[in-house]
mmCIF file with all atom_site columns, all heavy atoms in Angstrom:
data_model
loop_
_atom_site.group_PDB
_atom_site.id
_atom_site.type_symbol
_atom_site.label_atom_id
_atom_site.label_alt_id
_atom_site.label_comp_id
_atom_site.label_asym_id
_atom_site.label_entity_id
_atom_site.label_seq_id
_atom_site.pdbx_PDB_ins_code
_atom_site.Cartn_x
_atom_site.Cartn_y
_atom_site.Cartn_z
_atom_site.occupancy
_atom_site.B_iso_or_equiv
_atom_site.pdbx_formal_charge
_atom_site.auth_seq_id
_atom_site.auth_comp_id
_atom_site.auth_asym_id
_atom_site.auth_atom_id
_atom_site.pdbx_PDB_model_num
ATOM 1   N N   . VAL A 1 3  ? -0.339 0.472  -26.119 1.00 84.00 ? 3  VAL A N   1
ATOM 2   C CA  . VAL A 1 3  ? 0.505  0.049  -25.072 1.00 84.00 ? 3  VAL A CA  1
ATOM 3   C C   . VAL A 1 3  ? 0.758  1.239  -24.078 1.00 84.00 ? 3  VAL A C   1
ATOM 4   O O   . VAL A 1 3  ? 1.203  2.306  -24.519 1.00 84.00 ? 3  VAL A O   1
ATOM 5   C CB  . VAL A 1 3  ? 1.859  -0.562 -25.605 1.00 84.00 ? 3  VAL A CB  1
ATOM 6   C CG1 . VAL A 1 3  ? 2.786  -0.898 -24.412 1.00 84.00 ? 3  VAL A CG1 1
ATOM 7   C CG2 . VAL A 1 3  ? 1.566  -1.792 -26.374 1.00 84.00 ? 3  VAL A CG2 1
ATOM 8   N N   . MET A 1 4  ? 0.484  1.016  -22.839 1.00 90.00 ? 4  MET A N   1
ATOM 9   C CA  . MET A 1 4  ? 0.707  2.055  -21.840 1.00 90.00 ? 4  MET A CA  1
ATOM 10  C C   . MET A 1 4  ? 2.187  2.101  -21.433 1.00 90.00 ? 4  MET A C   1
ATOM 11  O O   . MET A 1 4  ? 2.905  1.127  -21.383 1.00 90.00 ? 4  MET A O   1
ATOM 12  C CB  . MET A 1 4  ? -0.151 1.767  -20.568 1.00 90.00 ? 4  MET A CB  1
ATOM 13  C CG  . MET A 1 4  ? -0.090 2.879  -19.543 1.00 90.00 ? 4  MET A CG  1
ATOM 14  S SD  . MET A 1 4  ? -1.084 2.440  -18.078 1.00 90.00 ? 4  MET A SD  1
ATOM 15  C CE  . MET A 1 4  ? -2.671 2.921  -18.728 1.00 90.00 ? 4  MET A CE  1
ATOM 16  N N   . ASN A 1 5  ? 2.622  3.327  -21.111 1.00 89.00 ? 5  ASN A N   1
ATOM 17  C CA  . ASN A 1 5  ? 4.012  3.513  -20.628 1.00 89.00 ? 5  ASN A CA  1
ATOM 18  C C   . ASN A 1 5  ? 4.305  2.714  -19.379 1.00 89.00 ? 5  ASN A C   1
ATOM 19  O O   . ASN A 1 5  ? 3.481  2.633  -18.492 1.00 89.00 ? 5  ASN A O   1
ATOM 20  C CB  . ASN A 1 5  ? 4.136  5.067  -20.371 1.00 89.00 ? 5  ASN A CB  1
ATOM 21  C CG  . ASN A 1 5  ? 5.453  5.507  -19.825 1.00 89.00 ? 5  ASN A CG  1
ATOM 22  O OD1 . ASN A 1 5  ? 5.843  5.063  -18.768 1.00 89.00 ? 5  ASN A OD1 1
ATOM 23  N ND2 . ASN A 1 5  ? 6.086  6.403  -20.537 1.00 89.00 ? 5  ASN A ND2 1
ATOM 24  N N   . LYS A 1 6  ? 5.482  2.119  -19.375 1.00 93.00 ? 6  LYS A N   1
ATOM 25  C CA  . LYS A 1 6  ? 5.859  1.277  -18.217 1.00 93.00 ? 6  LYS A CA  1
ATOM 26  C C   . LYS A 1 6  ? 5.861  2.095  -16.916 1.00 93.00 ? 6  LYS A C   1
ATOM 27  O O   . LYS A 1 6  ? 5.401  1.552  -15.924 1.00 93.00 ? 6  LYS A O   1
ATOM 28  C CB  . LYS A 1 6  ? 7.277  0.679  -18.440 1.00 93.00 ? 6  LYS A CB  1
ATOM 29  C CG  . LYS A 1 6  ? 7.740  -0.204 -17.345 1.00 93.00 ? 6  LYS A CG  1
ATOM 30  C CD  . LYS A 1 6  ? 9.114  -0.806 -17.621 1.00 93.00 ? 6  LYS A CD  1
ATOM 31  C CE  . LYS A 1 6  ? 9.566  -1.648 -16.452 1.00 93.00 ? 6  LYS A CE  1
ATOM 32  N NZ  . LYS A 1 6  ? 10.942 -2.247 -16.713 1.00 93.00 ? 6  LYS A NZ  1
ATOM 33  N N   . ASN A 1 7  ? 6.388  3.252  -16.932 1.00 93.00 ? 7  ASN A N   1
ATOM 34  C CA  . ASN A 1 7  ? 6.422  4.064  -15.768 1.00 93.00 ? 7  ASN A CA  1
ATOM 35  C C   . ASN A 1 7  ? 5.041  4.344  -15.193 1.00 93.00 ? 7  ASN A C   1
ATOM 36  O O   . ASN A 1 7  ? 4.782  4.346  -13.972 1.00 93.00 ? 7  ASN A O   1
ATOM 37  C CB  . ASN A 1 7  ? 7.154  5.409  -15.949 1.00 93.00 ? 7  ASN A CB  1
ATOM 38  C CG  . ASN A 1 7  ? 8.638  5.222  -16.215 1.00 93.00 ? 7  ASN A CG  1
ATOM 39  O OD1 . ASN A 1 7  ? 9.198  4.239  -15.832 1.00 93.00 ? 7  ASN A OD1 1
ATOM 40  N ND2 . ASN A 1 7  ? 9.238  6.165  -16.916 1.00 93.00 ? 7  ASN A ND2 1
ATOM 41  N N   . GLU A 1 8  ? 4.078  4.531  -16.125 1.00 93.00 ? 8  GLU A N   1
ATOM 42  C CA  . GLU A 1 8  ? 2.668  4.828  -15.638 1.00 93.00 ? 8  GLU A CA  1
ATOM 43  C C   . GLU A 1 8  ? 2.085  3.538  -14.979 1.00 93.00 ? 8  GLU A C   1
ATOM 44  O O   . GLU A 1 8  ? 1.369  3.644  -14.004 1.00 93.00 ? 8  GLU A O   1
ATOM 45  C CB  . GLU A 1 8  ? 1.789  5.323  -16.753 1.00 93.00 ? 8  GLU A CB  1
ATOM 46  C CG  . GLU A 1 8  ? 0.391  5.621  -16.299 1.00 93.00 ? 8  GLU A CG  1
ATOM 47  C CD  . GLU A 1 8  ? -0.454 6.369  -17.306 1.00 93.00 ? 8  GLU A CD  1
ATOM 48  O OE1 . GLU A 1 8  ? -0.007 6.953  -18.214 1.00 93.00 ? 8  GLU A OE1 1
ATOM 49  O OE2 . GLU A 1 8  ? -1.681 6.240  -17.103 1.00 93.00 ? 8  GLU A OE2 1
ATOM 50  N N   . ILE A 1 9  ? 2.369  2.394  -15.619 1.00 93.00 ? 9  ILE A N   1
ATOM 51  C CA  . ILE A 1 9  ? 1.878  1.149  -15.010 1.00 93.00 ? 9  ILE A CA  1
ATOM 52  C C   . ILE A 1 9  ? 2.437  0.960  -13.602 1.00 93.00 ? 9  ILE A C   1
ATOM 53  O O   . ILE A 1 9  ? 1.701  0.693  -12.644 1.00 93.00 ? 9  ILE A O   1
ATOM 54  C CB  . ILE A 1 9  ? 2.172  -0.064 -15.893 1.00 93.00 ? 9  ILE A CB  1
ATOM 55  C CG1 . ILE A 1 9  ? 1.456  0.022  -17.259 1.00 93.00 ? 9  ILE A CG1 1
ATOM 56  C CG2 . ILE A 1 9  ? 1.790  -1.361 -15.141 1.00 93.00 ? 9  ILE A CG2 1
ATOM 57  C CD1 . ILE A 1 9  ? 1.892  -0.961 -18.247 1.00 93.00 ? 9  ILE A CD1 1
ATOM 58  N N   . GLU A 1 10 ? 3.751  1.212  -13.520 1.00 94.00 ? 10 GLU A N   1
ATOM 59  C CA  . GLU A 1 10 ? 4.397  1.039  -12.197 1.00 94.00 ? 10 GLU A CA  1
ATOM 60  C C   . GLU A 1 10 ? 3.807  2.045  -11.179 1.00 94.00 ? 10 GLU A C   1
ATOM 61  O O   . GLU A 1 10 ? 3.655  1.738  -9.986  1.00 94.00 ? 10 GLU A O   1
ATOM 62  C CB  . GLU A 1 10 ? 5.942  1.216  -12.332 1.00 94.00 ? 10 GLU A CB  1
ATOM 63  C CG  . GLU A 1 10 ? 6.581  0.065  -13.001 1.00 94.00 ? 10 GLU A CG  1
ATOM 64  C CD  . GLU A 1 10 ? 8.017  0.209  -13.356 1.00 94.00 ? 10 GLU A CD  1
ATOM 65  O OE1 . GLU A 1 10 ? 8.512  1.383  -13.352 1.00 94.00 ? 10 GLU A OE1 1
ATOM 66  O OE2 . GLU A 1 10 ? 8.741  -0.762 -13.498 1.00 94.00 ? 10 GLU A OE2 1
ATOM 67  N N   . LEU A 1 11 ? 3.588  3.304  -11.671 1.00 94.00 ? 11 LEU A N   1
ATOM 68  C CA  . LEU A 1 11 ? 2.956  4.292  -10.752 1.00 94.00 ? 11 LEU A CA  1
ATOM 69  C C   . LEU A 1 11 ? 1.521  3.856  -10.319 1.00 94.00 ? 11 LEU A C   1
ATOM 70  O O   . LEU A 1 11 ? 1.225  4.006  -9.116  1.00 94.00 ? 11 LEU A O   1
ATOM 71  C CB  . LEU A 1 11 ? 2.898  5.672  -11.518 1.00 94.00 ? 11 LEU A CB  1
ATOM 72  C CG  . LEU A 1 11 ? 2.387  6.803  -10.688 1.00 94.00 ? 11 LEU A CG  1
ATOM 73  C CD1 . LEU A 1 11 ? 3.328  7.098  -9.524  1.00 94.00 ? 11 LEU A CD1 1
ATOM 74  C CD2 . LEU A 1 11 ? 2.348  8.061  -11.655 1.00 94.00 ? 11 LEU A CD2 1
ATOM 75  N N   . ARG A 1 12 ? 0.805  3.298  -11.212 1.00 93.00 ? 12 ARG A N   1
ATOM 76  C CA  . ARG A 1 12 ? -0.537 2.773  -10.883 1.00 93.00 ? 12 ARG A CA  1
ATOM 77  C C   . ARG A 1 12 ? -0.444 1.714  -9.831  1.00 93.00 ? 12 ARG A C   1
ATOM 78  O O   . ARG A 1 12 ? -1.257 1.613  -8.934  1.00 93.00 ? 12 ARG A O   1
ATOM 79  C CB  . ARG A 1 12 ? -1.280 2.306  -12.137 1.00 93.00 ? 12 ARG A CB  1
ATOM 80  C CG  . ARG A 1 12 ? -1.707 3.440  -13.027 1.00 93.00 ? 12 ARG A CG  1
ATOM 81  C CD  . ARG A 1 12 ? -2.296 2.936  -14.339 1.00 93.00 ? 12 ARG A CD  1
ATOM 82  N NE  . ARG A 1 12 ? -2.741 4.048  -15.119 1.00 93.00 ? 12 ARG A NE  1
ATOM 83  C CZ  . ARG A 1 12 ? -3.954 4.669  -14.968 1.00 93.00 ? 12 ARG A CZ  1
ATOM 84  N NH1 . ARG A 1 12 ? -4.751 4.190  -14.055 1.00 93.00 ? 12 ARG A NH1 1
ATOM 85  N NH2 . ARG A 1 12 ? -4.221 5.712  -15.713 1.00 93.00 ? 12 ARG A NH2 1
ATOM 86  N N   . ILE A 1 13 ? 0.517  0.763  -10.017 1.00 93.00 ? 13 ILE A N   1
ATOM 87  C CA  . ILE A 1 13 ? 0.737  -0.368 -9.056  1.00 93.00 ? 13 ILE A CA  1
ATOM 88  C C   . ILE A 1 13 ? 1.119  0.215  -7.645  1.00 93.00 ? 13 ILE A C   1
ATOM 89  O O   . ILE A 1 13 ? 0.546  -0.224 -6.649  1.00 93.00 ? 13 ILE A O   1
ATOM 90  C CB  . ILE A 1 13 ? 1.743  -1.366 -9.548  1.00 93.00 ? 13 ILE A CB  1
ATOM 91  C CG1 . ILE A 1 13 ? 1.151  -2.085 -10.783 1.00 93.00 ? 13 ILE A CG1 1
ATOM 92  C CG2 . ILE A 1 13 ? 2.091  -2.348 -8.476  1.00 93.00 ? 13 ILE A CG2 1
ATOM 93  C CD1 . ILE A 1 13 ? 2.178  -2.955 -11.528 1.00 93.00 ? 13 ILE A CD1 1
ATOM 94  N N   . GLU A 1 14 ? 2.017  1.166  -7.685  1.00 92.00 ? 14 GLU A N   1
ATOM 95  C CA  . GLU A 1 14 ? 2.405  1.836  -6.386  1.00 92.00 ? 14 GLU A CA  1
ATOM 96  C C   . GLU A 1 14 ? 1.252  2.524  -5.732  1.00 92.00 ? 14 GLU A C   1
ATOM 97  O O   . GLU A 1 14 ? 1.102  2.454  -4.495  1.00 92.00 ? 14 GLU A O   1
ATOM 98  C CB  . GLU A 1 14 ? 3.602  2.746  -6.625  1.00 92.00 ? 14 GLU A CB  1
ATOM 99  C CG  . GLU A 1 14 ? 4.891  2.057  -6.902  1.00 92.00 ? 14 GLU A CG  1
ATOM 100 C CD  . GLU A 1 14 ? 5.328  1.028  -5.866  1.00 92.00 ? 14 GLU A CD  1
ATOM 101 O OE1 . GLU A 1 14 ? 5.271  1.351  -4.656  1.00 92.00 ? 14 GLU A OE1 1
ATOM 102 O OE2 . GLU A 1 14 ? 5.692  -0.095 -6.260  1.00 92.00 ? 14 GLU A OE2 1
ATOM 103 N N   . ALA A 1 15 ? 0.412  3.197  -6.517  1.00 91.00 ? 15 ALA A N   1
ATOM 104 C CA  . ALA A 1 15 ? -0.790 3.878  -5.957  1.00 91.00 ? 15 ALA A CA  1
ATOM 105 C C   . ALA A 1 15 ? -1.722 2.849  -5.429  1.00 91.00 ? 15 ALA A C   1
ATOM 106 O O   . ALA A 1 15 ? -2.299 3.065  -4.323  1.00 91.00 ? 15 ALA A O   1
ATOM 107 C CB  . ALA A 1 15 ? -1.454 4.711  -7.050  1.00 91.00 ? 15 ALA A CB  1
#
Side-chain angles (χ1 to χ4, degrees):
V3 174
M4 183 180 282
N5 176 300
K6 180 180 181 181
N7 293 335
E8 183 171 337
I9 296 171
E10 289 173 338
L11 183 61
R12 288 173 177 278
I13 291 169
E14 289 303 313

